């Protein structure tokens, strides 16, 4: 595309033009540019609608001792949320409680790594004695959570929790950590604390911007046209 733009500019210079200064390449070039603009506009509209639909997805958040409905867009780091079976995890969260008797849960991560087998996550052992029922989640008030800086590594996570009032330290491992985009399976519900949200989640930090596609012939023609232009100037 860039090479055709350069050719169009060269065609309007009478001294070097082979079309008497008439940009004959301009009409088909405009058609191609307008078609590309329309395609990009439609793709952006679809992407915007998909983002809005995801941001408006419902989630339960702990407020005033009760779980109240809200949307993904309103989540902040440190919020305690409740995820039901069949729902997607809205953020990178630390597992605090599970409805399972063994205090574990199973998640599907095919949206993250393409694997369809279920992965088991579990509640840190230090929390199991304090949080035996859903209402006991309030006993964790005052605990201090310290995590690593946001990074794109899906299978690593380091953190520590300082329990009150004993001041004992509880290490946090990847098996206690659920990633955004995971699908909760075979568990009625779980409760977790938001560690990373939005663009700081691991899945978002792994997303890369798409690069413009250029064929080998187009790239080669670009250098050749640049060489011809330099020779003509000389």
């Amino acid at each position: 595309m860039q090479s055709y733009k350069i050719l169009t500019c060269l065609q309007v210079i009478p001294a070097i033009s082979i079309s008497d200064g008439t940009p004959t390449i301009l009409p088909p070039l405009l058609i191609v540019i307008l078609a590309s603009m329309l395609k990009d506009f439609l793709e952006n509209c679809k992407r915007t609608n998909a983002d809005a639909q995801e941001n408006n997805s419902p989630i339960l958040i702990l407020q005033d001792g009760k779980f109240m409905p809200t949307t993904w867009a309103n989540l902040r780091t440190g919020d305690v949320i409740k995820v039901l079976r069949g729902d997607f995890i809205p953020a990178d969260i630390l597992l605090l409680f599970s409805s399972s008797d063994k205090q574990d849960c199973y998640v599907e991560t095919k949206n993250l790594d393409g694997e369809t087998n279920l992965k088991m996550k579990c509640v840190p052992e230090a929390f199991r004695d304090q949080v035996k029922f859903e209402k006991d989640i309030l006993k964790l008030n005052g605990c201090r959570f310290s995590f690593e800086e946001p990074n794109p590594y899906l299978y690593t996570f380091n953190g520590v929790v300082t329990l009150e009032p004993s001041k004992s330290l509880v290490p946090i491992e990847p098996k206690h950590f659920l990633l955004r985009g995971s699908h909760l399976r075979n568990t009625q519900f779980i409760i977790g604390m938001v560690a990373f949200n939005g663009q700081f989640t691991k899945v978002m930090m792994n997303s890369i911007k798409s690069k413009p596609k250029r064929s080998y012939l187009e790239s080669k023609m670009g250098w050749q046209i640049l060489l011809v232009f330099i020779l003509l100037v000389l």
Side-chain angles (χ1 to χ4, degrees):
M1 187 68 70
Q2 298 294 335
S3 59
Y4 291 108
K5 293 178 182 178
I6 296 176
L7 284 175
T8 302
C9 296
L10 295 177
Q11 278 190 330
V12 299
I13 304 177
I16 60 174
S17 176
I18 61 175
S19 58
D20 296 329
T22 303
T24 57
I25 301 180
L26 186 59
L29 180 62
L30 287 177
I31 294 176
V32 173
I33 292 177
L34 291 175
S36 299
M37 291 176 58
L38 180 60
K39 178 181 70 69
D40 292 341
F41 174 75
L42 294 177
E43 289 180 353
N44 281 334
C45 288
K46 291 180 180 179
R47 190 178 299 111
T48 301
N49 292 334
D51 290 342
Q53 183 178 0
E54 185 173 90
N55 289 332
N56 291 324
S57 299
I59 189 66
L60 297 174
I61 185 173
L62 183 63
Q63 292 180 342
D64 300 327
K66 297 181 180 179
F67 284 98
M68 306 297 294
T70 185
T71 59
W72 287 21
N74 295 326
L75 292 181
R76 297 294 182 268
T77 299
D79 288 341
V80 177
I81 61 175
K82 182 177 182 180
V83 183
L84 305 180
R85 179 172 56 188
D87 290 346
F88 285 97
I89 309 297
D92 293 348
I93 65 174
L94 169 64
L95 186 60
L96 302 179
F97 177 78
S98 173
S99 60
S100 171
D101 295 335
K102 296 181 180 180
Q103 288 296 292
D104 57 13
C105 67
Y106 291 89
V107 293
E108 185 181 69
T109 60
K110 66 179 181 181
N111 291 336
L112 305 177
D113 51 21
E115 298 182 4
T116 56
N117 58 304
L118 299 182
K119 295 181 175 61
M120 186 183 72
K121 302 292 182 177
C122 59
V123 177
E125 293 183 5
F127 292 168
R128 299 179 186 180
D129 295 334
Q130 298 189 42
V131 186
K132 296 182 178 180
F133 303 97
E134 179 181 350
K135 61 181 180 179
D136 295 335
I137 199 68
L138 298 176
K139 293 182 180 179
L140 297 179
N141 285 342
C143 294
R144 181 179 179 182
F145 296 83
S146 300
F147 302 137
E148 63 184 7
E149 294 292 329
N151 60 72
Y153 305 111
L154 295 177
Y155 304 107
T156 62
F157 181 77
N158 294 312
V160 65
V161 179
T162 305
L163 298 179
E164 295 293 342
S166 62
K167 301 296 182 180
S168 58
L169 299 180
V170 178
I172 304 301
E173 303 176 10
K175 63 181 180 181
H176 308 140
F177 195 64
L178 283 75
L179 299 177
R180 174 177 176 170
S182 302
H183 201 184
L184 183 62
R185 298 286 192 181
N186 299 344
T187 308
Q188 185 177 358
F189 70 89
I190 60 172
I191 297 176
M193 192 202 72
V194 177
F196 304 132
N197 190 34
Q199 62 181 350
F200 298 107
T201 57
K202 292 181 180 292
V203 64
M204 294 300 294
M205 296 187 72
N206 273 282
S207 61
I208 58 176
K209 295 183 179 180
S210 58
K211 298 181 179 179
K213 296 181 179 179
R214 297 185 63 189
S215 64
Y216 171 77
L217 179 61
E218 186 177 0
S219 302
K220 192 172 183 179
M221 285 182 59
W223 287 106
Q224 291 177 348
I225 291 173
L226 180 60
L227 178 60
V228 171
F229 176 74
I230 296 174
L231 291 177
L232 288 174
V233 171
L234 295 176

